[in-house]
Amino acid sequence: MRNQYNPAANQLQTRSGQFKQRLLKLVLFCGFLILFIYLLASLDSRTASNHKPWHADFTIATFEPDGSFLALPYSYVQQHPLAKTTFLAKNPEGSKQKNDNDTFSYKVVQQTAQQQLIQTSLRTSRSITIATYQATASTVTPIKSTAYAVDQISMAAVLALISVLALQFLYRFLRRRRPYHQQTN
């Protein structure tokens, strides 16, 4: 018996191939999106060595004698002396609601007798700011701050879409350049 042309089977194979291509494009887009969000935030990172001003949401923890803490902007702490508080944490980590939608948390990353390396995270509706600083009982020395903002997500989405389209164009270009006899094997 001869093989007969079956349009239904051919159409099913075409749909399966299209589904796989769309799934691959979606996975590539999501991967590029995550990569570009990270890269954009890294490019906007602030450190003492790059001399950029600290992010406005750079927030530090100040501790009361009873162990409770306040989340204060670094700019406020620079301008106002704080009495009856310390920058050294009694507990290794903590978190609290700062406003209705904002969450602040801190974690002691490293500790010696007189100082601590503390990492804080301020989550708002428009960004997540992660700050790292060296604290003593009376001083704070900023080390790094990184902000993941909503506007970075839209820019990362555009870059991810452009990357997927560029890969698709490159794939089609390379397939057309191959000789016909190599395509059928």
Side-chain angles (χ1 to χ4, degrees):
M1 292 187 105
R2 295 185 339 218
N3 288 340
Q4 294 181 351
Y5 175 70
N6 185 349
N10 192 24
Q11 188 176 19
L12 183 61
Q13 285 180 340
T14 303
R15 284 186 184 170
S16 175
Q18 288 175 345
F19 175 75
K20 288 178 184 177
Q21 286 179 352
R22 288 180 179 156
L23 184 62
L24 177 63
K25 288 177 190 177
L26 178 65
V27 169
L28 284 172
F29 177 79
C30 291
F32 279 128
L33 180 68
I34 292 168
L35 174 70
F36 285 124
I37 288 172
Y38 174 77
L39 287 175
L40 289 171
S42 294
L43 288 172
D44 189 43
S45 261
R46 315 293 168 90
T47 64
S49 63
N50 69 13
H51 305 294
K52 292 180 183 177
W54 298 107
H55 290 104
D57 286 339
F58 189 114
T59 307
I60 63 165
T62 58
F63 300 91
E64 302 288 332
D66 65 357
S68 64
F69 69 95
L70 296 171
L72 297 175
Y74 177 67
S75 58
Y76 179 85
V77 174
Q78 283 182 305
Q79 297 170 359
H80 300 88
L82 302 173
K84 300 180 184 175
T85 60
T86 180
F87 297 114
L88 295 177
K90 289 184 179 181
N91 298 322
E93 58 185 53
S95 66
K96 65 171 23 178
Q97 288 291 118
K98 191 170 180 228
N99 294 327
D100 291 338
N101 296 324
D102 301 350
T103 304
F104 175 79
S105 63
Y106 76 89
K107 182 178 182 180
V108 177
V109 178
Q110 190 177 32
Q111 181 169 347
T112 62
Q114 302 295 322
Q115 59 186 8
Q116 294 174 335
L117 182 65
I118 299 177
Q119 185 175 51
T120 63
S121 173
L122 178 64
R123 297 173 186 269
T124 67
S125 59
R126 58 179 169 62
S127 68
I128 299 171
T129 304
I130 299 171
T132 306
Y133 60 90
Q134 191 76 36
T136 65
S138 60
T139 62
V140 170
T141 306
I143 297 174
K144 183 178 181 180
S145 71
T146 305
Y148 299 91
V150 172
D151 59 341
Q152 291 171 337
I153 294 171
S154 57
M155 177 59 96
V158 169
L159 292 171
L161 180 63
I162 290 169
S163 298
V164 170
L165 292 174
L167 281 177
Q168 181 180 5
F169 174 77
L170 181 65
Y171 175 75
R172 287 182 179 174
F173 177 75
L174 291 175
R175 282 197 71 195
R176 288 185 183 140
R177 298 242 344 171
R178 288 194 312 181
Y180 179 74
H181 68 278
Q182 288 181 347
Q183 289 180 3
T184 57
N185 291 339

